Amino acid sequence: MLALLPGIYPYLSAFLLEQGRYRDWADIQIARRISPGEADAAEWRQVAAAAPDMLLPLYHQAIERHIEERNRDQYRIAVTLLHELRSMYERKGSLSTWERYMDNLLERYSRLRAFQEELRGGALLT
């Protein structure tokens, strides 16, 4: 079935969600480079309700991808996703993991002034 992607994607996605195979669903989203804003909203809500931890890697990947685009509009999208990711970590009770992730992100992209400005504007950087 995977060889038939992307044409079979809607059917495969529905099948995986019906079977409760959220990790496989998330893996396909990652392979297809689907961002949270691009994903089917109903599918996203279903996974968020049943297995919210499966969405974390999708957010991480999308944030990195937007930052790597190296333009201010993409930085703004990354900051919006960072806010959503932070709220997910808060609900999970893993703020220490969130802080480590942010420290790592700030260290890797310390030379991107526009990104740092967007983080300050989004109240993610003090």
Side-chain angles (χ1 to χ4, degrees):
M1 288 179 83
L2 292 175
L4 299 174
L5 283 173
I8 199 168
Y9 169 74
Y11 306 106
L12 179 59
S13 180
F15 172 76
L16 293 173
L17 291 175
E18 182 181 305
Q19 297 296 313
R21 295 173 52 187
Y22 302 112
R23 181 175 304 275
D24 293 333
W25 178 87
D27 288 344
I28 289 173
Q29 303 305 312
I30 289 171
R32 292 191 67 221
R33 300 175 58 102
I34 301 291
S35 290
E38 300 168 344
D40 181 79
E43 290 180 354
W44 200 266
R45 281 191 302 271
Q46 181 179 349
V47 174
D53 287 351
M54 295 297 114
L55 297 179
L56 295 176
L58 297 169
Y59 274 97
H60 286 274
Q61 179 199 47
I63 290 165
E64 300 281 333
R65 201 170 50 245
H66 287 295
I67 294 170
E68 288 297 326
E69 290 289 322
R70 310 260 176 163
N71 70 59
R72 197 169 286 268
D73 290 336
Q74 295 300 313
Y75 295 154
R76 286 186 189 113
I77 294 169
V79 168
T80 301
L81 293 174
L82 282 166
H83 278 288
E84 294 173 21
L85 183 62
R86 182 179 59 187
S87 67
M88 291 177 72
Y89 276 115
E90 284 175 354
R91 278 184 255 131
K92 186 179 171 186
S94 299
L95 281 178
S96 62
T97 305
W98 160 255
E99 291 167 0
R100 282 194 312 273
Y101 174 70
M102 278 303 292
D103 289 343
N104 184 347
L105 199 66
L106 293 172
E107 183 178 322
R108 277 187 301 159
Y109 298 110
S110 63
R111 295 187 176 260
L112 300 179
R113 291 179 195 243
F115 178 57
Q116 301 290 326
E117 289 172 8
E118 292 300 324
L119 288 171
R120 278 189 210 93
L124 289 171
L125 185 64
T126 56

